[in-house]
Amino acid sequence: MISKEKTKMALEKMYAMFPDAVGELEHQTPFQLLIAVILSAQATDVSVNKVTPHLFAAYPNAEQLANAPLETITEYIRTIGLYRNKAKNIKRCAQQIMEEFDGNVPETREELMRLAGVGRKTANVVLGDAFDTPAIAVDTHVERVSKRLRICKLDASVSEVEETLMRKVPKEDWVKMHHTMIFFGRYHCTARAPKCEVCPLLTMCQEGKDRMKAKQQKQR
């Protein structure tokens, strides 16, 4: 693995590439963010943003979503993967918020993870973006970039990736780092066709150097 100092150097280059990296799920309240993040599991932010404006116009808060017919919720989100299960989860989540938290989204990881459809990653996104609480949500982009740059071990689990990043990155930078690494992975260091030839981090990335070497040999 690379050192804490090299991790900092890598992140500084990512920050320079994507200085305005933010969460791309559209929302107006912590509740709407929570629902959007639940819907985004195994789906793209783009696909979620296509359905949530209509969903939130009809059911903007926990009380209204909790009382909405499941069939109607399902229709609103049917273009998203796993929509039937997600419809059940977001309705139950809204009911739990009404029953257990007086209609307010809880502000601790432990309480958030008691809600239907909410795992650690979802809870961390809500903590960071809704409540400005330092947290690192490890999605596929964060995991891929961390492993390609050897910030963490190649065989690290999601929780181990999170723990490694927490050790190597200052707490006050966790949310910024999370969004920047997502942008870097989503728009530059993509899964299938990373832009290695124009990457400022190529010298730090063994996988990228191997990829470029293979490409050059193929062209000969």
Side-chain angles (χ1 to χ4, degrees), residues 47-179:
S47 68
V48 173
N49 288 338
K50 288 180 179 178
V51 304
T52 49
H54 304 290
L55 178 69
F56 295 153
Y59 312 117
N61 55 47
E63 181 178 11
Q64 289 176 288
L65 187 60
N67 293 320
L70 181 60
E71 297 76 13
T72 307
I73 297 173
T74 302
E75 282 302 309
Y76 274 114
I77 67 170
R78 66 180 301 111
T79 58
I80 299 177
L82 307 175
Y83 67 94
R84 289 190 179 89
N85 192 49
K86 288 178 180 178
K88 294 176 183 177
N89 278 339
I90 63 174
K91 179 176 172 66
R92 181 56 190 149
C93 177
Q95 291 172 334
Q96 288 176 284
I97 289 172
M98 293 305 300
E99 295 165 2
E100 302 177 34
F101 301 104
D102 298 320
N104 300 307
V105 176
E107 299 186 26
T108 70
R109 182 180 294 107
E110 293 72 21
E111 289 174 323
L112 282 165
M113 290 178 66
R114 281 162 44 188
L115 301 174
V118 179
R120 187 177 179 89
K121 181 179 74 173
T122 295
N124 283 348
V125 172
V126 174
L127 288 173
D129 288 359
F131 303 120
D132 294 322
T133 300
I136 300 172
V138 179
D139 72 348
T140 56
H141 301 298
V142 173
E143 181 177 7
R144 180 174 66 255
V145 171
S146 296
K147 290 182 176 181
R148 279 182 173 171
L149 292 175
R150 303 297 193 270
I151 293 173
C152 67
K153 295 179 180 178
L154 288 176
D155 61 352
S157 65
V158 170
S159 62
E160 288 171 336
V161 173
E162 181 182 345
E163 290 167 4
T164 301
L165 290 171
M166 289 170 70
R167 289 197 307 271
K168 291 188 172 182
V169 181
K171 193 171 185 178
E172 61 270 21
D173 292 335
W174 286 357
V175 175
K176 176 184 178 182
M177 177 213 66
H178 156 71
H179 287 306

